[in-house]
Each structure stands twice: as structure tokens, then as C-alpha cells.
Amino acid sequence: MRVVLISPEAVPFSKTGGLADVASGLSRALAELGHEVTLIVPFHRRHAPEWLELKPSMLLVSVDLAGSTESAQLWETQLPGSNVQVVLVDHPGYFGRPGLYVGPEGDYHDNAARYIFFSRAALRACEVLKLRPEIVHANDWQTGLVPATTVVEWGARLGRQRPAAVMTLHNLAFQGVYNVQTMLLTGLDWSYFNWKQMEFFNDLNLLKTGIAFADMVTTVSPTYSREVQSSEFGWGLEGVLQSKGDRFVGVLNGIDDAEWNPETDPHLPATFGVETFEVGKARCKAALQAEFSLPVRPDVPLFGMISRITSQKGFDLIESAKQQILDLPAQFVFLGTGDERMQDVLKAMALDAPDKVAVRIGFNEGLAHRIEAGSDLYLMPSRYEPCGLNQFYSMRYGTVPIVSKVGGLADSVTDATDLNIAAGVATGFHLSGYTADALIEVMQRAIDTCQHQPSTFRKLIETGMRSDWSWRGSARKYVEIYERAIEGVRHPTASHE
């Protein structure tokens, strides 16, 4: 099968979050299954590593944006460690900026134009490079115009031989909503600006556009796919998602189990596997405590948290329960950046209890690996979480996750109830609700298990480490989705309205 995956970011070319890992991980796994995969991303020059081997194709693609022609050069390379072809769309004016989406003064004012251009340029690249995709797979609002253009324009030329369009939603909180005049940039007829397809409370909604036109829509976990069809989690798009019926499915993300492998990880002071974790994790924990200038105490449970510091990730609960957290017989290491006020809360906790709390503002890839390996417990008390990745990393590294029972966290972490422990399936701890009291209760339960039930805690670690969260299983599910999408185009039972 010929698959073109179109994403606004992908590792190692650019990254702001988990979408970049997903785009690369899924592409690589599909190629390993024998499919012909091309990944198309913007060329964010300031973010691409210098070691990349790039070659200009000498081909240009041009896009009309409301009467103004914008052009980009195409560059080609391979996704490292795979035979995935990568095409980078090089428009320095749009993508040669310090941030991918945000500058010092907030969102770039021309984000709509930037990603409408990218969506059309990516499809034009398919034509000039003669890729002949059977599937075009768009990701998030930045590529929401891809399914619409595929269905409307390619459909007009190719009919039932057009590529099938798949749209993946990674986080419905970000939708690409712009004023009505932005419709002019899309190049599509105004008849599509209606409540079923592109219009959203008199504005243009690019994520809704992708959902409405896609032959199949996916999101990043089965639970999240159910949650977003409710008013609580749907962010106003629950109706259009409900209308997709069985053409909207949730597939749990995977992880790169070569990059995240405690047996070979070059970032760790000691490597380990499921048979040797007790010695290896003890060394990693001591080194992590020393790195954060915490007392090196093997007997004190160490909590880790690597995250955007926002209320979505549960930092409002941490703020509300900060004194109770400081009273717990445990240590805490935090790594991340985000809301300045919440960062200040963490810094104040570290000042009040320097022997218990340590904070690093920013991000460091190697340190993230060492926190996963050296922590005993990992905090993910998210308000909502489409999928999440750190719970997978934690289980693989023998660190027991504490999670909210939402989205992909509910699908991947099995609560340590007596029944689940007896059945040998428990891997972590669930909050009983999204409250500060529930957070303290589950943290105390985890500490008690760690300190007073070592055999049970060891069982949680071993079960998590033996779980397979690689992309292989998820990629097979995507192949089934692609086959359904193609079948729907070749033998339609319903038309796009």
C-alpha cells in the first residue's frame, strides 16, 4: 500500500509535542510492515539537526492563496533507521522561524496561511514527485485542508480512483479556528462553508474541515474517541464526530522501543532489563538524586514528572495540594516548562523543602530518560489526556505510573486493585477523581505499596516492563483502517454532503 503521511512536525526534523513522535513512529512501523511510506513535513530549518543528510529535489511547488502565489522548494531524505522517504517543504518565510507555531508575542498572525499553504503544497508534492498515494493521512488542524482538497479536487479529477483520506485528531483543544475571510485562502468553493463541513459559529474551523471530509477519522486512544463525542470533552465538535459513526475510531499510540529501551539507553548511568532492574534502577535513582542535589536515600520513594506545566496536566491539583505533598515521606523531581505562575509554585515548593523537591524549568532529552529510569513512581494526574506517552516510557523503565482515568491513560495503565494484582495485570495506580484529595490519596497508596508491600510493587514493575507498547500493533490497526477507507472510496455507500 502506498501511504503519504502529512504532519506539521516529526522527529527528528521538528517537535513541540507527542505528534512529532507519532508521525515518525507510525511511518517507520508501517514501512516495517512492508508498505511504501512517504512522510511530508514543513522544513523548519532552525529545528532540523545539522547531521541530517538532505538533498534538494530541484522541484518547486506553487500554491495560490487568494490571488497571491507562494512557492516552496522540496527537499528529500530518509527517516533515520528506516526506508521511509521524507519530503520537506521549504518556504523560509513561513517555516524559517524560531518557533513552529508561536513567537514571543503569541501565535503567529499568519498561522492560517502557513498551514493552508502547507496542506496544499504537500498534495502538490505528491503530484510532482509522482507518489500516487492510495492513502493520504493528515494530522491535526494544521493539515485539516488535506482531506477536503483530496475529496473535492482530486475526487473531481480521479473519481473513485482518488486516494482515500484519513484524519487523525491528536488534541481537540487545538482546532485552527479563523475568521470567515480565511475561507478565501483555502481555494475551495464557498458552498463548503456550511455548518456540516467548514463553518464553526461563523468562523472557519480547519480541524472540523478535516473531520467532515475524511473517509476515516481516528484519534489516539479508544477512551478518548468516546470522550470527545461528549460535550465535556468535544470542544464543540462532538456533533460532527458523532456523525462519522463507525468511521471514527480510536487507536492507542505506540512508542519507539529502540529509542526508549532501558537495556541500551546511552543516557543512563546504568542499563537494565526486567531481570536486572533492581540493581540498575537503584544506581539510576542514586545518580538522579545526586543530579538534582537531593539526599541520596534508597529508602525514600522518588516521584518523577516530565510535562508541560499547565492545568491540563494536573498542576492545578499539585498547587492545591502542595502542603500535603510536602508532608508525604517522598522526594519529587519535576522537568518541564509552561505556565509561569505554576512554574513559580513548583520553585516555591523546592525552596520550602530542598531535601524533598527539585525542579528544572526547560527540557533536556537525556535528563528525561534519566528521570524515567531513576524514579520509583511517575505522576500523570491529567485533567484530560488524548493518549499520553510518558506512561508507556515509565512502564518500560520500571517506573510505576500514577494516572487519571482518562483518555489513553485509562486504556494503557491498569489500576492496582486487589483483583488486578491477583490476576497479574496491574501496572499502576488510578486517581479516583480529579480532585486534590484524590491525588493525595493515590500518592499515599502508591507510597505504602512501594515501602510496605515490596513483592507487590515488584510485580507492578515487572508487569509494566513486559508489556509491549511498540508501534507494531498500532500500525497493523492503521492498516485495517486504511483498507476500510479505500474500500469506502472505491465502493461508496454514502456520499459526502
Side-chain angles (χ1 to χ4, degrees), residues 204-242:
L204 170 69
N205 186 317
L206 291 171
L207 186 64
K208 179 179 179 179
T209 297
I211 295 168
F213 283 93
D215 300 295
M216 290 289 295
V217 179
T218 75
T219 192
V220 292
S221 71
T223 294
Y224 191 60
S225 71
R226 294 188 293 271
E227 289 173 343
V228 295
Q229 295 183 66
S230 70
S231 58
E232 182 181 2
F233 292 98
W235 295 85
L237 295 183
E238 57 271 15
V240 69
L241 291 169
Q242 292 166 9

Side-chain angles (χ1 to χ4, degrees), residues 19 43 67 118 158 164 206 208 243 260 300 337 347 407 411 466:
L19 167 58
F43 190 4
F118 171 64
L158 302 174
L206 291 171
K208 179 179 179 179
S243 74
W260 289 92
V300 174
T337 185
K347 291 176 184 176
D411 292 327
R466 288 195 169 101

Side-chain angles (χ1 to χ4, degrees), residues 279-308:
V279 173
K281 279 188 70 68
R283 289 179 59 189
C284 289
K285 178 178 178 177
L288 185 64
Q289 288 169 319
E291 186 171 1
F292 274 92
S293 299
L294 292 170
V296 178
R297 293 187 57 186
D299 59 312
V300 174
L302 178 60
F303 287 76
M305 189 171 184
I306 308 157
S307 176
R308 283 186 293 112

Side-chain angles (χ1 to χ4, degrees), residues 21 34 50 60 113 124 153 265 323 343-344 401 433 437 483:
D21 299 287
E50 294 181 359
L60 292 176
R124 182 70 184 126
E153 297 183 0
D265 194 328
Q323 189 54 56
Q343 289 178 181
D344 289 342
D437 287 343
E483 291 170 346

Side-chain angles (χ1 to χ4, degrees), residues 278 448-461:
E278 289 180 292
D448 290 343
T449 306
C450 178
Q451 290 188 319
H452 306 305
Q453 302 176 57
S455 61
T456 297
F457 198 74
R458 190 180 307 112
K459 197 172 182 181
L460 297 179
I461 292 172

Side-chain angles (χ1 to χ4, degrees), residues 80-96:
S82 77
N83 62 354
V84 174
Q85 178 185 11
V86 180
V87 177
L88 297 124
V89 177
D90 186 17
H91 185 305
Y94 281 159
F95 305 124

